Amino acid sequence: MVPEFEEAAFTAPLNKVVRCKTQFGWHLLQVLSEREECVLREIQPKDFHVKFQDPTFLEEVQLIDVREPDEVAKASLPSFEVFPLRQFGTWGPEITTKLDPQKDTYVMCHHGMRSLQVAKWLQSQGFQRVFNLAGGIHAYATTVDPTVPTY
């Protein structure tokens, strides 16, 4: 957006038509609603490990592992619920009934790419605070907990 339009769009009151002049001419715009702030962050393995050690943390959050069952059999972390990405068609349509969109949700995979895709999708489904484990379980194993096998 050009600066003049951006300023008008983000300062306009709800439901009021405002006009704005830019290098492209005059514009009329109306803000009909505002989105609630959604948070999508990457969390570093060390920071996640600190939180993971606190028993109250596990009671307050949702932990999702999107790896396939054969990957989970090789290495896993306790308390993660497995939602294999290949089975998305099975669990995807029911995700808001299986999980609470208002709770902090942490997503993990092998290297952090599949979980980032799922984290972004969860946001689109109304999940307010979603955290992707940067580098996945591999980074967690190599930087924080060497007892977790790597593969």
Side-chain angles (χ1 to χ4, degrees), residues 15 20 60 79 83 87 90 95 112 120 135 139-140 146:
N15 298 315
C20 165
E60 298 168 355
S79 303
F83 290 96
Q87 296 173 21
T90 305
I95 198 68
K120 288 179 179 179
Y140 186 86

Side-chain angles (χ1 to χ4, degrees), residues 67-93:
R67 295 175 302 140
E68 301 305 314
D70 62 311
E71 293 178 278
V72 175
K74 293 174 187 172
S76 63
L77 296 177
S79 303
F80 273 81
E81 191 169 352
V82 179
F83 290 96
L85 193 53
R86 280 193 197 146
Q87 296 173 21
F88 176 79
T90 305
W91 57 262

Side-chain angles (χ1 to χ4, degrees), residues 41-61 63 79-80 104-106 129 131 133 140 144:
R41 294 191 184 125
E42 284 215 326
I43 185 165
Q44 296 302 313
K46 289 179 182 179
D47 297 330
F48 178 74
H49 183 71
V50 170
K51 292 177 177 285
F52 199 52
Q53 302 310 305
D54 180 357
T56 60
F57 172 75
L58 296 176
E59 296 168 6
E60 298 168 355
V61 301
L63 304 173
S79 303
F80 273 81
D104 287 6
T105 305
Y106 290 77
R129 294 176 47 87
F131 299 84
L133 181 59
Y140 186 86
V144 176

Side-chain angles (χ1 to χ4, degrees), residues 2 10 13-14 22 24 43 45 60 73 86 91 110 132 135 143 149-150:
V2 292
F10 289 105
L14 283 177
T22 71
F24 301 106
I43 185 165
E60 298 168 355
R86 280 193 197 146
W91 57 262
H110 189 198
N132 183 45
T143 62
T150 58

Side-chain angles (χ1 to χ4, degrees), residues 4-130:
E4 301 86 0
F5 189 87
E6 183 175 4
E7 164 125 10
F10 289 105
T11 59
L14 283 177
N15 298 315
K16 184 174 184 204
V17 175
V18 295
R19 56 187 183 149
C20 165
K21 185 175 183 182
T22 71
Q23 66 194 41
F24 301 106
W26 283 97
H27 311 275
L28 296 175
L29 62 108
Q30 181 179 18
V31 176
L32 299 176
S33 67
E34 294 178 346
R35 289 187 193 177
E36 290 185 32
E37 181 182 355
C38 293
V39 175
L40 172 56
R41 294 191 184 125
E42 284 215 326
I43 185 165
Q44 296 302 313
K46 289 179 182 179
D47 297 330
F48 178 74
H49 183 71
V50 170
K51 292 177 177 285
F52 199 52
Q53 302 310 305
D54 180 357
T56 60
F57 172 75
L58 296 176
E59 296 168 6
E60 298 168 355
V61 301
Q62 302 167 124
L63 304 173
I64 301 173
D65 187 337
V66 298
R67 295 175 302 140
E68 301 305 314
D70 62 311
E71 293 178 278
V72 175
K74 293 174 187 172
S76 63
L77 296 177
S79 303
F80 273 81
E81 191 169 352
V82 179
F83 290 96
L85 193 53
R86 280 193 197 146
Q87 296 173 21
F88 176 79
T90 305
W91 57 262
E94 301 172 356
I95 198 68
T96 55
T97 60
K98 294 182 179 211
L99 299 174
D100 182 353
Q102 301 305 315
K103 281 182 126 179
D104 287 6
T105 305
Y106 290 77
V107 189
M108 173 182 73
C109 69
H110 189 198
H111 288 289
M113 297 309 293
R114 287 175 285 175
S115 54
L116 181 59
Q117 289 177 323
V118 171
K120 288 179 179 179
W121 178 78
L122 287 169
Q123 268 197 312
S124 76
Q125 300 304 300
F127 283 72
Q128 297 298 309
R129 294 176 47 87
V130 184

